[in-house]
PDB file of all heavy atoms in Angstrom:
ATOM      1  N   GLU C 503    -106.577  43.359 -77.762  1.00 98.00           N
ATOM      2  CA  GLU C 503    -106.757  44.241 -78.929  1.00 98.00           C
ATOM      3  C   GLU C 503    -108.247  44.435 -79.239  1.00 98.00           C
ATOM      4  O   GLU C 503    -108.679  45.519 -79.619  1.00 98.00           O
ATOM      5  CB  GLU C 503    -106.018  43.596 -80.115  1.00 98.00           C
ATOM      6  CG  GLU C 503    -106.195  44.246 -81.449  1.00 98.00           C
ATOM      7  CD  GLU C 503    -105.336  45.503 -81.607  1.00 98.00           C
ATOM      8  OE1 GLU C 503    -104.427  45.722 -80.761  1.00 98.00           O
ATOM      9  OE2 GLU C 503    -105.579  46.241 -82.549  1.00 98.00           O
ATOM     10  N   ALA C 504    -109.029  43.373 -79.043  1.00 98.00           N
ATOM     11  CA  ALA C 504    -110.465  43.430 -79.350  1.00 98.00           C
ATOM     12  C   ALA C 504    -111.276  44.072 -78.225  1.00 98.00           C
ATOM     13  O   ALA C 504    -112.495  44.188 -78.335  1.00 98.00           O
ATOM     14  CB  ALA C 504    -110.986  42.022 -79.637  1.00 98.00           C
ATOM     15  N   GLY C 505    -110.613  44.451 -77.143  1.00 98.00           N
ATOM     16  CA  GLY C 505    -111.331  45.165 -76.082  1.00 98.00           C
ATOM     17  C   GLY C 505    -111.717  44.334 -74.870  1.00 98.00           C
ATOM     18  O   GLY C 505    -112.487  44.789 -74.019  1.00 98.00           O
ATOM     19  N   ALA C 506    -111.187  43.119 -74.767  1.00 98.00           N
ATOM     20  CA  ALA C 506    -111.498  42.309 -73.580  1.00 98.00           C
ATOM     21  C   ALA C 506    -111.000  43.028 -72.324  1.00 98.00           C
ATOM     22  O   ALA C 506    -110.014  43.773 -72.371  1.00 98.00           O
ATOM     23  CB  ALA C 506    -110.838  40.936 -73.698  1.00 98.00           C
ATOM     24  N   THR C 507    -111.690  42.799 -71.218  1.00 98.00           N
ATOM     25  CA  THR C 507    -111.306  43.460 -69.971  1.00 98.00           C
ATOM     26  C   THR C 507    -110.575  42.511 -69.027  1.00 98.00           C
ATOM     27  O   THR C 507    -109.918  42.951 -68.093  1.00 98.00           O
ATOM     28  CB  THR C 507    -112.534  44.041 -69.250  1.00 98.00           C
ATOM     29  OG1 THR C 507    -113.459  42.980 -68.983  1.00 98.00           O
ATOM     30  CG2 THR C 507    -113.217  45.099 -70.107  1.00 98.00           C
ATOM     31  N   MET C 508    -110.735  41.205 -69.245  1.00 99.00           N
ATOM     32  CA  MET C 508    -110.032  40.213 -68.423  1.00 99.00           C
ATOM     33  C   MET C 508    -109.676  39.029 -69.315  1.00 99.00           C
ATOM     34  O   MET C 508    -110.377  38.747 -70.290  1.00 99.00           O
ATOM     35  CB  MET C 508    -110.897  39.735 -67.257  1.00 99.00           C
ATOM     36  CG  MET C 508    -111.212  40.821 -66.252  1.00 99.00           C
ATOM     37  SD  MET C 508    -112.029  40.185 -64.767  1.00 99.00           S
ATOM     38  CE  MET C 508    -112.422  41.737 -63.934  1.00 99.00           C
ATOM     39  N   LEU C 509    -108.600  38.336 -68.930  1.00 99.00           N
ATOM     40  CA  LEU C 509    -108.164  37.143 -69.669  1.00 99.00           C
ATOM     41  C   LEU C 509    -108.527  35.898 -68.873  1.00 99.00           C
ATOM     42  O   LEU C 509    -108.162  35.780 -67.706  1.00 99.00           O
ATOM     43  CB  LEU C 509    -106.647  37.189 -69.883  1.00 99.00           C
ATOM     44  CG  LEU C 509    -106.026  35.967 -70.566  1.00 99.00           C
ATOM     45  CD1 LEU C 509    -106.464  35.860 -72.031  1.00 99.00           C
ATOM     46  CD2 LEU C 509    -104.500  36.017 -70.467  1.00 99.00           C
ATOM     47  N   ARG C 510    -109.243  34.972 -69.511  1.00 98.00           N
ATOM     48  CA  ARG C 510    -109.528  33.701 -68.849  1.00 98.00           C
ATOM     49  C   ARG C 510    -108.633  32.616 -69.420  1.00 98.00           C
ATOM     50  O   ARG C 510    -108.118  32.737 -70.534  1.00 98.00           O
ATOM     51  CB  ARG C 510    -110.993  33.300 -69.006  1.00 98.00           C
ATOM     52  CG  ARG C 510    -111.445  33.047 -70.428  1.00 98.00           C
ATOM     53  CD  ARG C 510    -112.458  31.900 -70.538  1.00 98.00           C
ATOM     54  NE  ARG C 510    -111.849  30.595 -70.318  1.00 98.00           N
ATOM     55  CZ  ARG C 510    -112.452  29.591 -69.712  1.00 98.00           C
ATOM     56  NH1 ARG C 510    -113.675  29.717 -69.255  1.00 98.00           N
ATOM     57  NH2 ARG C 510    -111.830  28.436 -69.569  1.00 98.00           N
ATOM     58  N   GLY C 511    -108.453  31.527 -68.673  1.00 98.00           N
ATOM     59  CA  GLY C 511    -107.695  30.393 -69.155  1.00 98.00           C
ATOM     60  C   GLY C 511    -107.501  29.424 -68.014  1.00 98.00           C
ATOM     61  O   GLY C 511    -107.113  29.815 -66.912  1.00 98.00           O
ATOM     62  N   GLY C 512    -107.776  28.151 -68.267  1.00 98.00           N
ATOM     63  CA  GLY C 512    -107.663  27.152 -67.208  1.00 98.00           C
ATOM     64  C   GLY C 512    -106.266  26.550 -67.160  1.00 98.00           C
ATOM     65  O   GLY C 512    -105.724  26.121 -68.186  1.00 98.00           O
ATOM     66  N   ALA C 513    -105.662  26.531 -65.980  1.00 98.00           N
ATOM     67  CA  ALA C 513    -104.395  25.841 -65.766  1.00 98.00           C
ATOM     68  C   ALA C 513    -104.706  24.480 -65.144  1.00 98.00           C
ATOM     69  O   ALA C 513    -104.105  23.459 -65.487  1.00 98.00           O
ATOM     70  CB  ALA C 513    -103.483  26.655 -64.857  1.00 98.00           C
ATOM     71  N   TYR C 514    -105.644  24.467 -64.230  1.00 98.00           N
ATOM     72  CA  TYR C 514    -106.171  23.208 -63.679  1.00 98.00           C
ATOM     73  C   TYR C 514    -107.531  22.998 -64.326  1.00 98.00           C
ATOM     74  O   TYR C 514    -108.438  23.813 -64.162  1.00 98.00           O
ATOM     75  CB  TYR C 514    -106.317  23.310 -62.160  1.00 98.00           C
ATOM     76  CG  TYR C 514    -104.976  23.356 -61.450  1.00 98.00           C
ATOM     77  CD1 TYR C 514    -104.435  24.561 -61.006  1.00 98.00           C
ATOM     78  CD2 TYR C 514    -104.255  22.181 -61.240  1.00 98.00           C
ATOM     79  CE1 TYR C 514    -103.203  24.595 -60.361  1.00 98.00           C
ATOM     80  CE2 TYR C 514    -103.017  22.210 -60.592  1.00 98.00           C
ATOM     81  CZ  TYR C 514    -102.502  23.416 -60.158  1.00 98.00           C
ATOM     82  OH  TYR C 514    -101.287  23.447 -59.520  1.00 98.00           O
ATOM     83  N   LYS C 515    -107.668  21.923 -65.095  1.00 97.00           N
ATOM     84  CA  LYS C 515    -108.898  21.700 -65.847  1.00 97.00           C
ATOM     85  C   LYS C 515    -109.720  20.552 -65.278  1.00 97.00           C
ATOM     86  O   LYS C 515    -109.210  19.445 -65.121  1.00 97.00           O
ATOM     87  CB  LYS C 515    -108.559  21.355 -67.310  1.00 97.00           C
ATOM     88  CG  LYS C 515    -107.967  22.471 -68.128  1.00 97.00           C
ATOM     89  CD  LYS C 515    -108.839  23.716 -68.186  1.00 97.00           C
ATOM     90  CE  LYS C 515    -110.193  23.496 -68.808  1.00 97.00           C
ATOM     91  NZ  LYS C 515    -111.037  24.717 -68.743  1.00 97.00           N
ATOM     92  N   PRO C 516    -110.991  20.790 -65.001  1.00 94.00           N
ATOM     93  CA  PRO C 516    -111.874  19.687 -64.610  1.00 94.00           C
ATOM     94  C   PRO C 516    -112.332  18.967 -65.869  1.00 94.00           C
ATOM     95  O   PRO C 516    -112.906  19.576 -66.754  1.00 94.00           O
ATOM     96  CB  PRO C 516    -113.057  20.422 -63.962  1.00 94.00           C
ATOM     97  CG  PRO C 516    -113.119  21.750 -64.659  1.00 94.00           C
ATOM     98  CD  PRO C 516    -111.721  22.067 -65.140  1.00 94.00           C
ATOM     99  N   ARG C 517    -112.019  17.708 -66.043  1.00 93.00           N
ATOM    100  CA  ARG C 517    -112.390  17.005 -67.266  1.00 93.00           C
ATOM    101  C   ARG C 517    -113.279  15.815 -66.953  1.00 93.00           C
ATOM    102  O   ARG C 517    -113.112  15.150 -65.934  1.00 93.00           O
ATOM    103  CB  ARG C 517    -111.132  16.532 -68.021  1.00 93.00           C
ATOM    104  CG  ARG C 517    -110.182  17.661 -68.408  1.00 93.00           C
ATOM    105  CD  ARG C 517    -110.842  18.798 -69.177  1.00 93.00           C
ATOM    106  NE  ARG C 517    -111.480  18.390 -70.420  1.00 93.00           N
ATOM    107  CZ  ARG C 517    -110.850  18.212 -71.576  1.00 93.00           C
ATOM    108  NH1 ARG C 517    -109.546  18.402 -71.645  1.00 93.00           N
ATOM    109  NH2 ARG C 517    -111.510  17.834 -72.663  1.00 93.00           N
ATOM    110  N   THR C 518    -114.200  15.535 -67.860  1.00 93.00           N
ATOM    111  CA  THR C 518    -115.114  14.422 -67.665  1.00 93.00           C
ATOM    112  C   THR C 518    -114.359  13.103 -67.762  1.00 93.00           C
ATOM    113  O   THR C 518    -114.590  12.183 -66.979  1.00 93.00           O
ATOM    114  CB  THR C 518    -116.251  14.496 -68.712  1.00 93.00           C
ATOM    115  OG1 THR C 518    -116.869  15.778 -68.574  1.00 93.00           O
ATOM    116  CG2 THR C 518    -117.279  13.406 -68.493  1.00 93.00           C
ATOM    117  N   SER C 519    -113.413  13.016 -68.710  1.00 95.00           N
ATOM    118  CA  SER C 519    -112.618  11.798 -68.820  1.00 95.00           C
ATOM    119  C   SER C 519    -111.245  11.990 -68.190  1.00 95.00           C
ATOM    120  O   SER C 519    -110.573  12.995 -68.431  1.00 95.00           O
ATOM    121  CB  SER C 519    -112.427  11.424 -70.304  1.00 95.00           C
ATOM    122  OG  SER C 519    -111.377  10.470 -70.411  1.00 95.00           O
ATOM    123  N   PRO C 520    -110.800  10.995 -67.419  1.00 95.00           N
ATOM    124  CA  PRO C 520    -109.472  11.109 -66.806  1.00 95.00           C
ATOM    125  C   PRO C 520    -108.359  10.989 -67.847  1.00 95.00           C
ATOM    126  O   PRO C 520    -107.194  11.257 -67.548  1.00 95.00           O
ATOM    127  CB  PRO C 520    -109.426   9.936 -65.824  1.00 95.00           C
ATOM    128  CG  PRO C 520    -110.376   8.933 -66.384  1.00 95.00           C
ATOM    129  CD  PRO C 520    -111.478   9.739 -67.056  1.00 95.00           C
ATOM    130  N   TYR C 521    -108.709  10.591 -69.089  1.00 96.00           N
ATOM    131  CA  TYR C 521    -107.698  10.453 -70.136  1.00 96.00           C
ATOM    132  C   TYR C 521    -107.560  11.722 -70.964  1.00 96.00           C
ATOM    133  O   TYR C 521    -106.700  11.812 -71.826  1.00 96.00           O
ATOM    134  CB  TYR C 521    -108.035   9.252 -71.036  1.00 96.00           C
ATOM    135  CG  TYR C 521    -108.127   7.977 -70.226  1.00 96.00           C
ATOM    136  CD1 TYR C 521    -109.363   7.371 -69.992  1.00 96.00           C
ATOM    137  CD2 TYR C 521    -106.986   7.428 -69.645  1.00 96.00           C
ATOM    138  CE1 TYR C 521    -109.460   6.234 -69.215  1.00 96.00           C
ATOM    139  CE2 TYR C 521    -107.073   6.285 -68.865  1.00 96.00           C
ATOM    140  CZ  TYR C 521    -108.309   5.687 -68.654  1.00 96.00           C
ATOM    141  OH  TYR C 521    -108.394   4.580 -67.877  1.00 96.00           O
ATOM    142  N   SER C 522    -108.442  12.703 -70.719  1.00 96.00           N
ATOM    143  CA  SER C 522    -108.337  13.972 -71.450  1.00 96.00           C
ATOM    144  C   SER C 522    -107.264  14.849 -70.819  1.00 96.00           C
ATOM    145  O   SER C 522    -106.879  14.652 -69.664  1.00 96.00           O
ATOM    146  CB  SER C 522    -109.674  14.719 -71.386  1.00 96.00           C
ATOM    147  OG  SER C 522    -110.706  13.958 -71.951  1.00 96.00           O
TER     148      SER C 522
END
Side-chain angles (χ1 to χ4, degrees):
E503 173 78 13
T507 58
M508 295 188 187
L509 176 68
R510 63 144 288 145
Y514 290 100
K515 292 303 299 176
R517 301 307 301 278
T518 304
S519 165
Y521 302 108
S522 300

